[in-house]
Amino acid sequence: MLRLPDHWVWDSWYARDDNGLWHVFFLRASRALHDPHRRHRRATIGHAVSTDLRSWRLVADAVVPADPPGWDDLATWTGCTVRGPDGRWYLFYTGVGRAEDGLVQRIGLAVSDDLMTWHRHGTEPIVQADPTWYELFDKDLWYEQAWRDPWVFPDPDGEGWHMLITARANTGPANTRGVVGHATSTDLLNWTVRPPLSTPAGFGHLEVPQVAVLDGQPLLLFSTEATGSARRDDHRIWVATGETTLGPWDIASAQPFAHPHLYAPRLVPGPADGWSLIGFLDHVDDTFVGELTDPIPVRYQAATGLTADPARVQLGQ
């Protein structure tokens, strides 16, 4: 697992370089804050490397808040890392600024030639919420403007790129408006906001969305806290099926992945054959943990959904 003695670690995402080395990018904030609820306004994007997804070596942070005044001068949050057709690496991230007291989320981009040294692309966000389809900040409706957690992947037909976004629809009861936001691009730099890929289904928001194809089945993985949502139960990690990696996603029929302490996991191909989930340990015995788990081997079957794979657990995969 990845545990830092002086920092909490939470949301994470993964990339693998040409030499087979895994890179994890993650949110981190100092434990000197004492109260883990304060971590969100102090978050930076950390970076570590591994050969096996279990033992990690810390390297320099990838992205930190900009100097003020800047749209992302308060904190930098969750994103994803993809390799472009030009061979460069693109790190999409969420940023919040001091001007709005961190309540308005936007999406920015940093670029690297080697996955180690990152530079912001320009000084402005590259994707912002479009009120045609999405809710903007209104404190009477929701406590923040949700436009975060970008997940970028190539179009299944080879026509550019898609971005999934934690977003909220601009209609419906306030505690049910969570949707999968959508944007498209031909070059990873210029993006067009599109209608959402789901409809509201009882969740206040759908955090850290990811798509992956397991055994031929496109899956949408997302997490959600019960607080503020119309759907109230003990499950916080959900999986929806779709016809393609673009859905359509039936969020109302999403099935839970049961784990008492895991949050915001990612589906990662490895460390051996098959897929694993890696996320952070949230609260255990009412205490925030803030560390990444070892890989949890999983499998998908239509009858049972996404579950832990006991055979690979026994083999130590």
Side-chain angles (χ1 to χ4, degrees), residues 57-88:
R57 175 172 60 86
L58 198 64
V59 296
D61 285 354
V63 180
V64 298
D67 293 333
W71 68 272
D72 55 350
D73 62 3
L74 179 62
T76 50
W77 293 347
T78 308
C80 67
T81 304
V82 299
R83 195 169 201 176
D86 57 0
R88 296 193 300 171

Side-chain angles (χ1 to χ4, degrees), residues 196-229:
L197 294 177
S198 69
T199 57
F203 295 109
H205 51 202
L206 284 62
E207 295 196 285
V208 198
Q210 178 193 1
V211 293
V213 179
L214 274 68
D215 296 324
Q217 175 62 61
L219 301 178
L220 171 73
L221 176 72
F222 65 93
S223 298
T224 185
E225 296 281 5
T227 303
S229 295

Side-chain angles (χ1 to χ4, degrees), residues 116-133:
M116 302 300 290
T117 302
W118 296 89
H119 300 280
R120 279 178 169 81
H121 175 76
T123 59
E124 299 297 327
I126 62 165
V127 193
Q128 302 189 60
D130 185 336
T132 304
W133 302 289

Side-chain angles (χ1 to χ4, degrees), residues 1 57 84 139 311:
M1 65 180 65
R57 175 172 60 86
K139 64 180 180 181

Side-chain angles (χ1 to χ4, degrees), residues 42-121:
R42 303 292 194 277
T44 61
I45 298 175
H47 185 190
V49 295
S50 172
T51 59
D52 60 5
L53 292 171
R54 289 185 172 88
S55 300
W56 295 95
R57 175 172 60 86
L58 198 64
V59 296
D61 285 354
V63 180
V64 298
D67 293 333
W71 68 272
D72 55 350
D73 62 3
L74 179 62
T76 50
W77 293 347
T78 308
C80 67
T81 304
V82 299
R83 195 169 201 176
D86 57 0
R88 296 193 300 171
W89 294 90
Y90 293 73
L91 192 159
F92 299 90
Y93 67 94
T94 307
V96 292
R98 299 174 186 273
E100 301 95 1
D101 195 30
L103 298 176
V104 176
Q105 300 161 8
R106 302 177 178 93
I107 294 170
L109 171 64
V111 180
S112 173
D113 292 326
D114 60 3
L115 274 172
M116 302 300 290
T117 302
W118 296 89
H119 300 280
R120 279 178 169 81
H121 175 76

Side-chain angles (χ1 to χ4, degrees), residues 11-309:
D11 296 7
S12 61
W13 59 99
Y14 300 81
R16 200 174 194 183
D17 65 26
D18 291 337
N19 296 316
L21 191 67
W22 285 100
H23 296 250
V24 59
F25 301 90
F26 54 88
L27 302 191
R28 63 184 293 182
S30 175
R31 294 179 184 267
L33 294 169
H34 300 298
D35 180 358
H37 293 96
R38 298 174 62 195
R39 72 188 190 277
H40 301 290
R41 296 170 61 90
R42 303 292 194 277
T44 61
I45 298 175
H47 185 190
V49 295
S50 172
T51 59
D52 60 5
L53 292 171
R54 289 185 172 88
S55 300
W56 295 95
R57 175 172 60 86
L58 198 64
V59 296
D61 285 354
V63 180
V64 298
D67 293 333
W71 68 272
D72 55 350
D73 62 3
L74 179 62
T76 50
W77 293 347
T78 308
C80 67
T81 304
V82 299
R83 195 169 201 176
D86 57 0
R88 296 193 300 171
W89 294 90
Y90 293 73
L91 192 159
F92 299 90
Y93 67 94
T94 307
V96 292
R98 299 174 186 273
E100 301 95 1
D101 195 30
L103 298 176
V104 176
Q105 300 161 8
R106 302 177 178 93
I107 294 170
L109 171 64
V111 180
S112 173
D113 292 326
D114 60 3
L115 274 172
M116 302 300 290
T117 302
W118 296 89
H119 300 280
R120 279 178 169 81
H121 175 76
T123 59
E124 299 297 327
I126 62 165
V127 193
Q128 302 189 60
D130 185 336
T132 304
W133 302 289
Y134 300 101
E135 177 187 282
L136 301 185
F137 178 60
D138 183 338
K139 64 180 180 181
D140 294 328
L141 290 173
W142 198 248
Y143 58 90
E144 62 187 2
Q145 178 177 304
W147 193 254
R148 65 181 181 275
D149 306 342
W151 180 261
V152 174
F153 60 97
D155 181 81
D157 296 322
E159 299 180 1
W161 300 82
H162 296 270
M163 178 185 292
L164 306 186
I165 303 160
T166 294
R168 285 171 50 85
N170 59 8
T171 59
N175 62 346
T176 68
R177 290 188 174 190
V179 292
V180 180
H182 185 211
T184 59
S185 173
T186 59
D187 59 5
L188 293 170
L189 300 177
N190 300 286
W191 291 85
T192 301
V193 176
R194 305 291 187 184
L197 294 177
S198 69
T199 57
F203 295 109
H205 51 202
L206 284 62
E207 295 196 285
V208 198
Q210 178 193 1
V211 293
V213 179
L214 274 68
D215 296 324
Q217 175 62 61
L219 301 178
L220 171 73
L221 176 72
F222 65 93
S223 298
T224 185
E225 296 281 5
T227 303
S229 295
R231 293 178 65 159
R232 295 181 179 276
D233 53 40
D234 294 332
H235 298 297
R236 302 191 303 160
I237 303 168
W238 299 85
V239 179
T241 58
E243 296 176 7
T244 74
T245 52
L246 296 176
W249 303 109
D250 183 3
I251 302 301
S253 297
Q255 298 298 311
F257 178 84
H259 192 290
H261 310 302
L262 189 70
Y263 199 70
R266 297 292 196 184
L267 281 163
V268 181
D273 295 334
W275 289 79
S276 296
L277 280 180
I278 306 177
F280 76 92
L281 293 178
D282 194 355
H283 284 79
V284 178
D285 296 330
D286 295 324
T287 299
F288 182 73
V289 178
E291 62 187 44
L292 298 184
T293 65
D294 280 340
I296 302 170
V298 294
R299 63 183 179 185
Y300 177 80
Q301 296 177 312
T304 56
L306 187 71
T307 60
D309 187 340

